[in-house]
Amino acid sequence: MPDGYYHYCDVSLPVPLDQPFTYALPETLRHRVAPGCRVLVPFGPRRLTGVVLRTHDDPPAMEAREALRLIDAQPVLDEELLALGKWIASYYCAPLGEVLRGMLPLASEIRKGKIYSLTDAGRDAARQLLLEVAAEDPVAQVLRALESRPLSAAYLAKKLPLADKVIRSLEKRGFIFPEQLHEDRDPLRAPSDRLLVELAATRPEAKLSKPERELVAFLELHPGAHNLKDLEASVRGASGAARSLGKKKFVVLKREPMPISGVWAARAPHSLNPPQREAFAQIHEAIVSRKFQTFLLHGVTGSGKTEVYLNAIDTALAAGRGALLLVPEIALTPAMAGQFFGRFGDQVAILHSAFTDTERAEQWRKIRSGAASVVVGTRSGVFAPVRNLGLIVVDEEHDQSYKQEETPRYNGRDVAIVRARSAGACVVLGSATPSLESRYNAERGKYTLLELPDRVEARPMPHVELIDMRVEFLETRKQATFSRRLLEAISLRLENGEQTMLLLNRRGFSSSVACRACGERVNCVNCSLTLTFHRRDRRMLCHYCNYAEKVPSQCPKCQSEHIYFLGLGSEKVEEELHRELPKARIARLDRDTVSGKRHYESILQNFREGHYDILVGTQMIAKGHDIPNVTLVGIISADIGLGFPDFRAAERTFQILTQMSGRAGRGNLPGVVLIQTIQPDHYAVRMAGKHDYQAFYERELEFRRCMRYPPFSAMANLLVRSEKQEVALRMSADLGHFLTPPPEQLKIMGPAEAPVPRLKNEYRYQFLIKAANRAALSELLHRARHFAVERKWGATALVIDVDPVTLM
Ligand code: ADP
Ligand code: ZN
Ligand code: ZN
């Protein structure tokens, strides 16, 4: 009994109260429960799953209730990850139970058979034994099979002789451990974009509803399997109808295979150019000397950062260690994953939010068993149970999607650094536009700066021109979307068979609907935000809560009939473009046209293959895509983001302009970038135009220093919210009193109406806190949280956001 024999365990539960709860262990569980395992316990009238923090023999003051069931035979969180969870809970001021729950991809309700993996002891034993015994030996066969990946008992029994007996004996010796295999209750409960529907070969007699009849008619016209989500564009209510028809056996529903699979051709690695080699040499050195070190790899767009990552991963693997690569949500495409499969084969695991629970759990097991030692994942991938972690790469480290915008509000990049520190691993943060914080850390010597100043193979940086739209207006007397210069440039590309990407930071047809007579704008009923007009279905939509309504024919306030449309959206840009350039083939990419990951990929793929001349899109198109035939990038308006009431507005604008410019001229043809703006003198716009990160950084740093914004202070945002305005006001007043006077070194601004004062039917007030001392800030935030718990504000009434990335 390696884990001892204890009578009690302390369990962290996903509830707002922060302390662990002590449970008694029934006889049968005493020797099996260990820290990091999940257990099912009674909590009030409910049953909850929690994570064991500690096992012990200290009788609690009050009589403890009994734990009900052990869910994992081996800990799902090792000591290192448990410690990381505790750090997150404390730093981001979030309940530990919720943090731990968020770190695990495994659902725990339904069980279906057992799945076996090798333990560390089993791995060693296997190595030894396989040298000694004949290949046909039943024990050797089972061990060899499990060395490559975890397998279910049923699979082993089918494939190998005597497997049942061998499994029992190996389990008893602690060489393998079983885990309950959980499967989604019903495979057809998968999200619509992962389901295919097809007419059944023989169909029963049945009375069908109208949507069902419409779907059947469509399927008769278009035989074959269709993706449910895609169908919704053609048949109203397709997805519901397909599911109900499935129950009647009228159609066949099946799962679409995983969007990212492991079949890829290997590509020969590039040999590194001198700056790449220089950067890699330093990373290599850190990995082999097994020391914690953080590098900031600042490389311009197209400088070949990925090749440096791949080499660093090689080094980690050669040193017998695992590697983790984090990428922004939108960047994890099949093409991207393909590069890694091509290079590292089946050792790669992918953690992606588009996967179902079952798929994610499968990947997670493959990692924990040691079968996968290279993990590519989005934000929460930072918790992957990689064995013997030696390297974490965070690509596009400045990206906002690393910040989780719900509790626990952690930043994946920062968590990566903390995890690497305790694992003695090396971190590489890569970006063409490093965040101010990271660049400043490099300046202070906390990180090591590595630079790739030029594009590979001496390809030139694109030529950038700023187009002053105020001058354009004076000269043409027209409020045009496209300047003459931009239209000309696009036409030229059309003639030459080259491609154009156009960026607009707003989806929908125009940004809002307003009344000419009284100026009233049409707002969402749940949020104090204007609704966006969508031409395709003539609706106005709230982009925060999805509330929709028809465009009114009269002003709701003054009854005037002069309703008009303000602003500009990607849908409208597309339409105007059609008018100006009737022959152009235009595709659009934004959250309206893209429902699933797959769909997004197929639009991009078609563009890459030359089926379109122009791609219009929101900032979704700014990241990472490498399309050689794009020689023109147009930015319709650089100004949209600059107006946001957020201290990062300039930084964000600089980043998006630079990233977007980076899409031009990545092949052998040189690229041109045209930026339309009414603020050509703004430093973010000017420096982006000159590819001058350094100048931007210095200027922005000065602004932050003057205003005591990060990185010159630690910041937090306390948000109080309630559906009732009086309640929200009273809570924020109470909290205001509690926080007064603020401790030294802290400056509290608020309570004030939040920039979005009403959202999803809740009124919102906020306190913005700047602190010269992080410990003092943390102490204050924990006190604020206890105050809310004591006052019994609901679990969601107080939001604590440490190091906020957006204040909107
Ligand atoms: P970044 O991420 O820095 O924008 P990428 O890593 O996407 O740049 O590299 C840009 C292109 O250059 C890719 O097509 C890549 O295959 C190629 N590349 C990378 N390193 C080299 C090299 N040493 N020689 C030639 N081509 C390279
Ligand atoms: Zn009006
Ligand atoms: Zn809304």
Side-chain angles (χ1 to χ4, degrees), residues 528-575:
S528 48
L529 290 166
T530 48
L531 295 173
T532 301
F533 176 52
H534 287 246
R535 171 65 160 256
R536 199 169 51 175
D537 39 10
R538 288 206 62 83
R539 285 187 315 163
M540 296 180 303
L541 194 68
C542 173
H543 286 175
Y544 283 80
C545 73
N546 269 333
Y547 169 81
E549 65 177 63
K550 284 226 151 47
V551 178
S553 53
Q554 287 187 334
C555 169
K557 197 168 151 204
C558 75
Q559 273 73 49
S560 145
E561 282 172 15
H562 297 281
I563 299 287
Y564 74 115
F565 303 105
L566 278 175
L568 191 63
S570 42
E571 204 176 336
K572 179 149 173 210
V573 167
E574 185 189 351
E575 195 192 84

Side-chain angles (χ1 to χ4, degrees), residues 144 267 332 375 455 614 702:
R144 192 168 314 108
R267 178 174 63 71
L332 185 42
V375 178
R455 288 187 158 184
I614 304 173
E702 224 13 73

Side-chain angles (χ1 to χ4, degrees), residues 211-451:
E212 289 173 340
R213 280 200 309 274
E214 279 173 11
L215 180 60
V216 170
F218 182 90
L219 292 174
E220 278 169 346
L221 270 175
H222 306 86
H226 295 264
N227 179 281
L228 279 199
K229 190 85 197 183
D230 295 351
L231 272 180
E232 271 169 20
S234 336
V235 185
R236 193 178 278 276
S239 148
R243 287 167 203 264
S244 61
L245 284 170
K247 285 202 195 99
K248 295 177 188 163
K249 305 255 188 278
F250 222 87
V251 298
V252 183
L253 285 163
K254 56 178 185 251
R255 268 291 180 79
E256 191 153 326
M258 269 229 240
I260 296 169
S261 72
V263 199
W264 295 87
R267 178 174 63 71
H270 291 287
S271 54
L272 300 182
N273 61 30
Q276 285 174 320
R277 214 176 307 137
E278 171 80 14
F280 168 63
Q282 294 199 45
I283 300 168
H284 177 87
E285 170 68 27
I287 297 173
V288 295
S289 63
R290 305 188 150 254
K291 70 172 188 224
F292 163 64
Q293 189 174 353
T294 304
F295 294 95
L296 177 61
L297 179 62
H298 176 197
V300 299
T301 53
S303 59
K305 294 184 285 294
T306 312
E307 205 64 38
V308 176
Y309 304 155
L310 292 167
N311 278 275
I313 295 172
D314 266 334
T315 304
L317 294 179
R321 306 184 75 183
L324 180 57
L325 174 87
L326 300 181
V327 295
E329 182 66 34
I330 202 82
L332 185 42
T333 58
M336 154 88 181
Q339 283 197 46
F340 285 82
F341 283 117
R343 181 89 162 230
F344 303 109
D346 220 18
Q347 296 175 73
V348 177
I350 305 281
L351 291 172
H352 195 293
S353 58
F355 288 176
T356 62
D357 284 353
T358 315
E359 289 162 345
R360 233 173 320 188
E362 232 169 67
Q363 298 288 309
W364 193 87
R365 277 198 200 88
K366 188 174 162 191
I367 299 163
R368 194 185 56 178
S369 70
S373 37
V374 178
V375 178
V376 182
T378 49
R379 180 178 61 229
S380 65
V382 72
F383 304 123
V386 182
R387 291 179 172 224
N388 196 4
L389 188 62
L391 170 70
I392 307 183
V393 177
V394 184
D395 188 27
E396 311 283 2
E397 64 88 25
H398 64 277
D399 197 280
Q400 270 190 78
S401 73
Y402 286 122
K403 173 80 173 181
Q404 171 147 300
E405 294 295 357
E406 56 190 61
T407 309
R409 297 178 169 248
Y410 67 89
N411 187 316
R413 171 198 62 205
D414 299 336
V415 171
I417 294 170
V418 172
R419 180 168 180 193
R421 189 173 58 200
S422 73
C426 166
V427 183
V428 178
L429 307 178
S431 176
T433 51
S435 63
L436 260 272
E437 282 88 341
S438 294
R439 183 60 186 76
Y440 184 62
N441 278 331
E443 184 176 318
R444 291 193 306 157
K446 255 181 98 176
Y447 302 166
T448 309
L449 183 63
L450 306 171
E451 289 181 295

